[in-house]
Amino acid sequence: MKALLVHPHGSNWMGSGKDISTIFNLMPPIGLLSIAAYLESKGVGVEVMDCYGAPASIEQHAADIIARAPDVVGFSCTTSSFLEGYAIAERVKEERPDIRIVFGGAHACSVGPSLLETFPAVDFLVIGEGEKTFAELLSSGFRNVETIPGIGFRRDGKGVLSAVRENIPDLDSLPFPAWHRLPDFPRRYNLPLFSYPKAPNTSVISSRGCPYQCSYCDRSVFSRGFRFNSPGYIVEHLRALYRDFGIRHVFFYDDLFTFDRGRVERFCSLMEQKRVPVTYNCIARLEHVDKELLSLLKRSGCWQVNFGIESGDPAILSKHRKLYELDQVGKKLKMVKDAGMRVKGLFMMGFPGESEESIQRTINYALTLPLDEINVTKFTPFPGAPVYRTIREFGDFSEDWPAMNCVNFVFIPHGMTLERLEELYDEFIRRFYRRTRIHWGYTKMLWKSPHSIAVFLRNLPEIIRFELKQKW
């Protein structure tokens, strides 16, 4: 049995012309690499095709798949990449109807087996974690699939779920992701510019699930439980990345890296003891950090801490996520700066119930915080998020899957217009970054992140062309 795992491109681009977004950030498909490693451990021949890392036309991708002659092709798709993935699968089926097509990932898990009723080129869905389910599907020879938990299949033309797949309780039982199956890794991949001190670098995920209930988060793949790799497993993973690929810096992409304090303390201790030559960034929740923890993070190699602040309006926060005291945020961020690390704020614009006044409140609030940089996403009601069920009560929602990528306003709150939201978004970015303090901070990056400067200068012609197109 030969399996090919495909990561469709989709789009995270809001400009015209060539997509230059991957210049600034290209993350490897870690979920697919974990499945690939698990299949390898079971003796399955497997390849990985990352369309995002090597963009091409749908026809070219389909031809590449057919040329590799797999027995089964597994697509892992977000909502924005699903239709592109399906178009590729459809072309493959037209040429080679004997190739089995399996879809998994966030979109398949959130929409569920009903997808099979509308997209006939898909043979099966993997609902939930993919490692064990996909391996068992292959070992079954696609027979008696109703006995395999986590499989979406057709019964009398209707999509049904075999049974719920229980989550893997011990994440340490999984092998490290199959980084070696990713062409041009790590050369082709890079963290966001100016968010790392060294290259090559990559992203790592050391936990699954989340116990919190933010209205906008889709937890349909890993559910609301929280499981994590042990400190020893994480440290050995970093050592393997350094030994085998020369990785010098990683970004822990976990939403809750600091959730279990004991785990973080032990991880920091091991990083110091073993003198692991890899620095890192992480995402933390404000309520988890204090001076003692930040000191541990710094000593163990932490370079930047990201915080999901989302909004500067208490009324909006109370409706959409666990409320924290806004007057405490600045104090916590200053602790990070005092500990010697960079700090990045993550915001979201266009929430249900948001108004121009609340957005202006967020912008003004962000300018008071000791942040080195920000990321502002555009609120997107994904099918697996709690807010999706009632979203049309709060505004106009254009459920255009390819545009649901957090860089387009697909939802317009009552009382707002798309044009005004875009103007406010541009104002937020402009007012934050066009300040002397921020300019000086990036000037320091000449020696703090020299690789970022080199990448920026190498791609400067494309960046200038984009800026000119946006102005005209």
Side-chain angles (χ1 to χ4, degrees):
M1 181 73 70
K2 180 180 178 182
L4 174 61
L5 304 180
V6 179
H7 178 225
H9 183 280
S11 176
N12 289 306
W13 178 238
M14 57 185 175
S16 59
K18 181 181 176 182
D19 181 350
I20 64 171
S21 62
T22 56
I23 293 172
F24 305 105
N25 182 24
L26 184 57
M27 177 179 174
I30 300 173
L32 276 188
L33 298 180
S34 181
I35 295 173
Y38 189 81
L39 293 179
E40 283 185 337
S41 73
K42 300 298 180 182
V44 177
V46 61
E47 294 182 57
V48 174
M49 192 170 108
D50 182 15
C51 305
Y52 201 79
S57 68
I58 288 169
E59 292 77 10
Q60 288 172 315
H61 286 316
D64 188 5
I65 290 171
I66 292 167
R68 298 181 190 221
D71 299 297
V72 57
V73 183
F75 289 83
S76 179
C77 298
T78 61
T79 295
S80 65
S81 68
F82 177 80
L83 290 180
E84 180 179 303
Y86 183 75
I88 297 170
E90 211 171 23
R91 297 294 175 89
V92 171
K93 271 292 190 183
E94 289 172 0
E95 295 291 324
R96 288 284 308 277
D98 58 306
I99 294 177
R100 300 285 188 166
I101 302 294
V102 182
F103 269 63
H107 192 69
C109 293
S110 60
V111 177
S114 62
L115 272 176
L116 296 168
E117 299 165 21
T118 314
F119 298 94
V122 181
D123 295 307
F124 302 102
L125 300 177
V126 168
I127 306 296
E129 288 180 313
E131 288 89 353
K132 290 187 175 181
T133 304
F134 197 60
E136 290 175 17
L137 179 65
L138 299 192
S139 65
S140 76
F142 307 101
R143 294 183 296 272
N144 300 317
V145 296
E146 66 276 4
T147 66
I148 304 170
I151 296 293
F153 66 99
R154 292 182 184 86
R155 177 183 289 154
D156 300 325
K158 294 291 185 180
V160 296
L161 177 65
S162 57
V164 174
R165 165 71 64 173
E166 293 295 326
N167 287 329
I168 299 167
D170 179 15
L171 295 185
D172 284 5
S173 67
L174 296 175
F176 299 149
W179 303 102
H180 59 283
R181 291 295 177 191
L182 202 58
D184 291 331
F185 179 80
R187 186 183 62 83
R188 178 68 182 88
Y189 297 85
N190 206 61
L191 295 176
L193 292 187
F194 307 110
S195 69
Y196 58 87
K198 305 169 187 175
N201 51 60
T202 193
S203 302
V204 171
I205 297 176
S206 70
S207 63
R208 294 181 179 182
C210 176
Y212 294 103
Q213 299 184 27
C214 299
S215 72
Y216 46 84
C217 281
D218 181 349
R219 300 295 179 193
S220 53
V221 178
F222 298 134
S223 77
R224 297 197 180 281
F226 183 64
R227 296 157 293 139
F228 49 80
N229 291 120
S230 68
Y233 182 100
I234 303 169
V235 168
E236 289 309 309
H237 189 181
L238 298 189
R239 294 178 70 180
L241 282 167
Y242 175 74
R243 179 189 67 240
D244 299 338
F245 302 99
I247 295 296
R248 306 287 304 282
H249 184 85
V250 301
F251 173 31
F252 285 106
Y253 210 69
D254 314 57
D255 290 337
L256 299 173
F257 184 75
T258 57
F259 181 77
D260 187 288
R261 191 182 183 98
R263 180 180 88 127
V264 177
E265 290 175 347
R266 180 59 180 158
F267 165 75
C268 292
S269 176
L270 286 174
M271 289 288 284
E272 284 191 90
Q273 290 175 19
K274 294 181 179 292
R275 298 186 179 182
V276 182
V278 179
T279 53
Y280 64 94
N281 298 352
C282 66
I283 303 174
R285 285 183 71 101
L286 290 156
E287 57 266 38
H288 295 164
V289 300
D290 54 37
K291 289 183 179 180
E292 181 183 3
L293 184 67
L294 292 171
S295 176
L296 289 172
L297 292 175
K298 173 62 177 177
R299 294 204 312 269
S300 65
C302 186
W303 196 71
Q304 176 174 295
V305 185
N306 297 1
F307 292 94
I309 300 169
E310 314 305 355
S311 173
D313 187 305
I316 294 298
L317 284 173
S318 66
K319 294 176 183 176
H320 296 287
R321 62 163 291 162
K322 183 178 179 181
L323 181 62
Y324 47 78
E325 297 295 329
L326 289 176
D327 61 353
Q328 293 295 312
V329 175
K331 296 177 182 178
K332 290 290 183 82
L333 301 184
K334 187 175 183 301
M335 286 183 191
V336 180
K337 298 289 293 179
D338 290 345
M341 294 172 285
R342 284 171 54 82
V343 62
K344 182 174 183 176
L346 311 177
F347 294 87
M348 193 177 296
M349 184 182 290
F351 284 108
E354 199 154 43
S355 64
E356 179 165 345
E357 290 74 21
S358 64
I359 292 174
Q360 289 286 5
R361 197 171 293 122
T362 295
I363 296 172
N364 293 332
Y365 175 68
L367 298 180
T368 69
L369 299 174
L371 295 166
D372 293 293
E373 60 178 302
I374 60 172
N375 183 54
V376 185
T377 59
K378 298 175 179 179
F379 170 78
T380 303
F382 291 108
V387 74
Y388 176 84
R389 295 188 294 271
T390 59
I391 190 63
R392 288 177 173 82
E393 298 175 13
F394 302 97
D396 298 321
F397 175 35
S398 174
E399 194 166 358
D400 177 15
W401 288 351
M404 292 172 65
N405 53 15
C406 297
V407 295
N408 293 288
F409 284 114
V410 295
F411 171 76
I412 312 299
H414 287 317
M416 299 291 293
T417 65
L418 173 61
E419 293 72 22
R420 188 56 183 144
L421 280 173
E422 294 288 6
E423 289 171 357
L424 289 167
Y425 183 90
D426 292 342
E427 179 185 340
F428 196 167
I429 302 301
R430 182 177 65 253
R431 288 181 62 190
F432 183 87
Y433 282 104
R434 292 185 179 178
R435 293 183 294 164
T436 301
R437 180 176 71 78
I438 301 300
H439 293 169
W440 175 239
Y442 279 103
T443 301
K444 294 178 181 178
M445 290 296 141
L446 288 169
W447 64 88
K448 286 189 175 181
S449 186
H451 183 264
S452 293
I453 294 294
V455 173
F456 181 83
L457 293 176
R458 187 165 63 247
N459 293 280
L460 189 58
E462 286 290 348
I463 295 168
I464 291 174
R465 278 193 286 272
F466 167 66
E467 288 293 332
L468 290 174
K469 284 183 179 179
Q470 295 303 101
K471 289 179 180 179
W472 294 99

